[in-house]
Amino acid sequence: MRKRIRRRRESRKQNILQKNAEQKQKAHAKGASISSDIEPNLVYFETLLGKERSSDLNVRRFTIQYTTERKAGLIYMDGLSFCPGIDEFLLEPLMLMGRTLDVKKDLMESVMNSLLQHGEVKPTDNMEKLVDSLLSGDVLVFVDGYPEGIVVGLKGALRRGVGEPRAEAVVRGSREGFVEAMRINTALVRWRLRDPDLRMVGLTVGKRTKTPATLAYIEGVADPNLVLEVEKRIQAIKIDGILESGYIEEMIQDNKWSVFPVIQNTERPDSVVAHLLEGKVAIIVEGTPNALIAPAVFTQFYYSPDDYYDRYLIATFMRFIRLISFLISLSLPALYIAFISFHPEMIPPKLSLAAAAGRATVPFPSIVEALLMELSVEILREASIRLPGPIGPTIGIVGALVIGDAAVSAGLVSPLMVIVVGLTTISSYATPSYSAAISVRLLRFPMMIVAGIFGLYGVVMLYLLILLHLIKLRSFDVPYLAPYTPLRLSDLKDSLIRVPWPYMNQRPAIFRTSNIQREEDVKSDGQQQQ
Amino acid sequence: MGNNNNDPGTEGTISNYQVHTLLFSALVGVSVLMMPRNIVIASRTDSEWVIFISGFIVLLFVWLIGALMKKFPRQNIIQFAQSMVGKKNQRIMARILTLPFALALAGLWLWMASIVTRSFGEVLVSFVLPQTPIGVLMFSIIFVAAIVVSNPLVIIVRMTEFLLPFIYITLPLLVAGLLQEGSALNLLPLFQADWKEVANGVFSSLLSYSGFSILFIYMAFYQQPEKSMRTHTITIMVCTLFFWFAIVTSIGAFGSAEIFHLLYPPLELVKVTSFPGQVLDRLESLFIAIWMLAVFTTIILFFGSTVEVVMSYVPFKEKRRGWVTFLLAPIFYILAQYPSNLQELALWSQWAGIAEIIITLLFVAIFFIVWAVRERKKGEDNATTSPS
Amino acid sequence: MRRRHLLRMLPIILICLTLGGCWDSREIEDRVSVIATAIDEKDKEIVLNVQVPIPKNVAGSGSQGGGGGKPVQTFTGQGMTISDAIDDIHYKANQRVFFGNNRLLIIGESLAKRGLSGVLDALGRNPEFRRREFIVVAKGRAADFIKAKPDLEQVPTEYVLTMLQNGIRDGLYIQEGLNDFYIDLTNPGNQPVLNYMSVKGKDVKWSGIAVFKQTQMKGILNRAESRSVLQIRGRERGEDIDTECIEKPGMISFRPREVKRKVRIDKRKGHVVFHITLTVKGAIIEKTCDVNVDNKKTLEELSHRIASKYEEGARQTLKKVQGVFRSDSYRLGNQVRAFHPSWWKNMNWGDDFAKSEISIDYKVIILRSGMKSG
């Protein structure tokens, strides 16, 4: 019985698919090129998008009062285009002002010149281009008798306004963050970098989503090979849809299996500009409030924009703090296990007494205890992201406090372990970049496991393996651990220590910039252009 | 050592600073723990200056190797041996003639790596993990080393580059120990040893420098072979100073008599040092962790050069490197397991040191002679052909 | 591609290791963590008493309030050797006895007099014992120390340890831990000494230093006698000294702050001659007589008196050390070894120390006389 239903359902599906395909094929066959007759063109779009089943498709047929009544059509996607503008700047002139036109002149030319009152107006006879423009929010205008369509760039989908970057907060510095609209994002960059050499290469990725992306770089600063390589890799992407810059990131990165991020993502326009000035390239993707920056080195994920805005000593101090918190978040639970179950002689006697007392009621070995606690913290962290709006942080804190306290008083974990877990979790949030922080959180688990097997020795061995991986890792041919290994003394100015700005007059050499001097840059460029 | 204008990211070459880290890591390994005892037994407080003599001798060896290798830029010893012996149509002949060289070098380095690994295991077993079978410890370290060594040599060198600064961290630890426990009186008297004691001291410390012969392989990858002499000299000096430091701090803290009874004087020194604030009750955990890095770099350098010898003797494809490594690893493990106790191990490491010196001198001599003969022949050929 | 193979292998290896591994893994609460060890002899056998704090009873560290029961437990083991005695304890304890946190070694007087070579060898070979340990000789049985119960600290050992640490820092006790003891043993120019402590009921008292010749304890120097040894050996300041007032009844107390030592070595008729000059700087801290200490002349007079008092004590001690113990507790031989190696080669310091001539001179400088004038 059920089988029969399934079969019937299957055959129905096949039928529909076949019908749709036939229709589309018919439309294609007819409208592969634009006919001078208007109706087939409009019908073509109606069939292509499935008029009955695409409620947001708007096809308006009207007449232009020229010498005679000339049929015309206007197509747009409801919601993607700026509707009041269509009425005011397109339909009103087209319908009412036809008579005012000079009869001697060509209708099409007149329409373009005086009736379409908008800045971006392009006639084209390429059907594919028309379809793409329609779907990205442009308005198409057809006039009977002319085998071409006019694309009017009246994109006007409602978008979130520019807001504060949520994941990359700074104390001092710009409060603007990227939004989903790529054009706003590129504007945010261009507005900060008024350099005629700034290039924004438009690319389209994704067979179905046809997501526009922008490859930004500064000509004369970024390594041309790097730009070519990035462009090549983006163009080589074979995927049906790009919903977030993360898709592109994974498609173009060098080592696809690495835990560590080799391409940085940021939602701060100022940070993008800073990286562009260092000779890197940025990729801004439509629909994503995160821009990608490539190449990226390991240390870059531990630098925050405020490092460059605050005074150098404070910045240096903060970087030391972040280094310490990186080490804590990677290895503190592992060290706890190693010390508690392998080398108790290494803890001061009073502390070891306290640790022993705290653990007296704990039924598990320290490795299980640590894994348990770390896992529950991860669950809390994940849950507090998913929890709706304002209650998220509350639940997170309450959960941690209540569960931690209850676990200690129930004798399930030792108080020391709660301190360790708390410190570890807090430390991991000291990393400015979320993607780097999360990979360290992940590595903590193998760290704990080897500590549970070999103690301190295991921790050192795993550190060595991680180091090996980091050394082998490359991001667009830049060694991931640069400038530390291979050592670049000149680049150490902006490493753990950030020297004052007047002394950072050179761009980092590791990114193979075409112009190493920061301040001579403008001068020489000016000469070039004259 | 400084910076160089060449691109440091260039694949397959070793920058000057990396030369420093590589040579330093090869020389300073387990030996830094044992050397103070060995040399003090031979020449007591006079070790404080005797070490400089052996440093100088090692410098001579390194100079010799450097001079030879410079004649054949971008080629390691096996490659130029093969190219020297036979012309292109005599491959098999070349193979057979160079076999003893390849065997001797690969065997020596594998042997040295196994000795280092075993000593490392012994320290771990006696200080850190007393219950863990030494076989497991050595297995794990050989396993990790093999993973590293299955990469190109340049990656190995970059490991040493990253880890070297951490090895320098041990210096302040030793100074702290000296300041807390030491007494200047222990360093005296000087110049009391007769020439025999001095010779013994030089000899025993010379063996602790073992590892310089890997330059036979690594020099082929130098970015600037012409500048290598300077870097080598500086490195040997730094290394000698490092050893000197270990010796002086040990003698200063314990006196030469007590060192007789200590297996690993620097380690003991760190053990008696207390850390202000009592964060770590026993500093030796930190010291051993750092020292583990030093030993590990030594092991990967030796093992890496062994693999490289095999790779260039039988020109395997680069992607076979992993195979070669994991095929050699069991031999490595068996060699490391072989000595039955610490005493035998000490004897082994002495022999290995002697063997290294002999092989170095012998090879340098042979290749220089062959090279000179060939040059002369070439000259003669030119002389005979040009007039006609 | 190879990377993926490794990635696939890694979990398998990890699992293998977890199945067979964790040899050294032993949780902190599963170890009987010894904090002090007392070693005695009884009928030619070693008696070992170890003090183990009970974590949950030590206040402040327990999760459930704590402070209830007794804070420490004592285990006793007996055997022909130290290891034998430790094994004996192993059979009595429910968990493995662990000496990694041991901080104090107490040696019974009778054992010390018989010789410590066996004990020291066992301690030196065992990696669990650290060289930084404190070691003292107990008057009577060392086991009594373990059983002493001072009120100030819950764990009795903590009390003794703090006492030792403070005493050493103030320059009142001799600074000689296990490490120094080892070094003094091997260096033929030195002889070890140890702090000598006694216990009576709740009270632990420092009662001088035990003088060793090699591993064998030769005797004791009491508080007053040990003063000059402390000053010459380690340049420690030693305890306060009282001296009679000038011409008037009453006493004056002097507290040394800083000691400088100068040793001049000569050779006369085959014997080594030491001229030791000690410069002691300090302050007057109390006076019970009617003398004006603001007067420069009086101060000079006073410092001479203090110096001669020092010298007298030093001479008596020297007589005892050189004549009775015949052991170089001053570490003078080390100076000969360092500065006159040619003499040292032909000497047997163990015997020659008693024959050498030693003169000790004191120079006292009174820096100030407290908050009051007059």
Side-chain angles (χ1 to χ4, degrees), chain A residues 143-383:
Chain A
V143 182
D144 196 28
Y146 294 94
E148 55 185 352
I150 305 167
V151 179
V152 184
L154 259 175
K155 289 195 187 82
L158 287 177
R159 284 278 162 256
R160 185 164 69 90
V162 173
E164 260 193 69
R166 297 274 309 270
E168 283 170 87
V170 293
V171 176
R172 180 172 176 180
S174 148
R175 295 275 182 281
E176 278 182 338
F178 283 136
V179 292
E180 284 74 9
M182 183 183 77
R183 269 294 153 248
I184 299 181
N185 294 347
T186 53
L188 286 173
V189 173
R190 182 75 83 169
W191 180 68
R192 282 180 173 74
L193 187 59
R194 297 162 192 93
D195 185 349
D197 288 338
L198 173 63
R199 297 282 175 271
M200 300 241 185
V201 182
L203 299 160
T204 309
V205 203
K207 194 161 174 284
R208 278 181 186 278
T209 56
K210 300 226 174 58
T211 313
T214 303
L215 174 67
Y217 65 97
I218 305 178
E219 205 165 71
V221 172
D223 177 19
N225 289 325
L226 169 72
V227 177
L228 277 178
E229 177 68 25
V230 175
E231 209 175 329
K232 205 179 83 194
R233 286 196 200 175
I234 294 179
Q235 275 161 353
I237 291 177
K238 284 200 168 45
I239 196 168
D240 58 343
I242 301 281
L243 300 183
E244 220 276 348
S245 55
Y247 288 46
I248 294 183
E249 182 182 338
E250 280 199 2
M251 295 294 280
I252 65 172
Q253 73 184 37
D254 294 59
N255 184 340
K256 302 198 166 48
W257 296 94
S258 179
V259 204
F260 294 96
V262 288
I263 292 173
Q264 194 185 349
N265 67 73
T266 179
E267 43 180 347
R268 300 188 57 89
D270 51 344
S271 158
V272 167
V273 172
H275 286 298
L276 289 180
L277 285 172
E278 288 188 347
K280 294 175 218 172
V281 302
I283 303 160
I284 301 167
V285 183
E286 181 82 278
T288 312
N290 293 79
L292 300 178
I293 291 162
V297 292
F298 180 71
T299 46
Q300 164 178 337
F301 293 93
Y302 293 87
Y303 300 163
S304 162
D306 2 11
D307 290 357
Y308 301 96
Y309 306 154
D310 272 320
R311 273 157 303 124
Y312 77 102
L313 262 181
I314 293 156
T316 305
F317 175 64
M318 289 307 161
R319 286 187 177 176
F320 269 94
I321 295 288
R322 280 185 220 129
L323 173 72
I324 293 166
S325 61
F326 163 74
L327 291 177
I328 287 179
S329 67
L330 182 57
S331 50
L332 189 66
L335 288 182
Y336 171 82
I337 296 167
F339 282 156
I340 292 292
S341 49
F342 284 86
H343 323 288
E345 74 274 10
M346 284 171 188
I347 332 174
K350 280 191 177 163
L351 182 61
S352 99
L353 215 59
R359 279 193 47 82
T361 53
V362 180
F364 320 110
S366 57
I367 165 94
V368 178
E369 184 193 8
L371 283 176
L372 215 67
M373 277 311 275
E374 288 293 341
L375 267 179
S376 44
V377 164
E378 290 300 313
I379 293 170
L380 270 174
R381 183 193 58 77
E382 183 66 16

Side-chain angles (χ1 to χ4, degrees), chain A residues 102-130:
Chain A
D102 192 346
V103 193
K104 284 169 207 153
K105 277 185 188 161
D106 182 44
L107 172 62
M108 194 62 173
E109 216 182 309
S110 312
V111 165
M112 295 251 302
N113 283 344
S114 39
L115 291 191
L116 299 177
Q117 297 168 353
H118 186 69
E120 195 187 331
V121 177
K122 271 181 282 178
T124 176
D125 54 359
N126 185 340
M127 199 51 136
E128 253 174 69
K129 217 177 203 173
L130 284 173

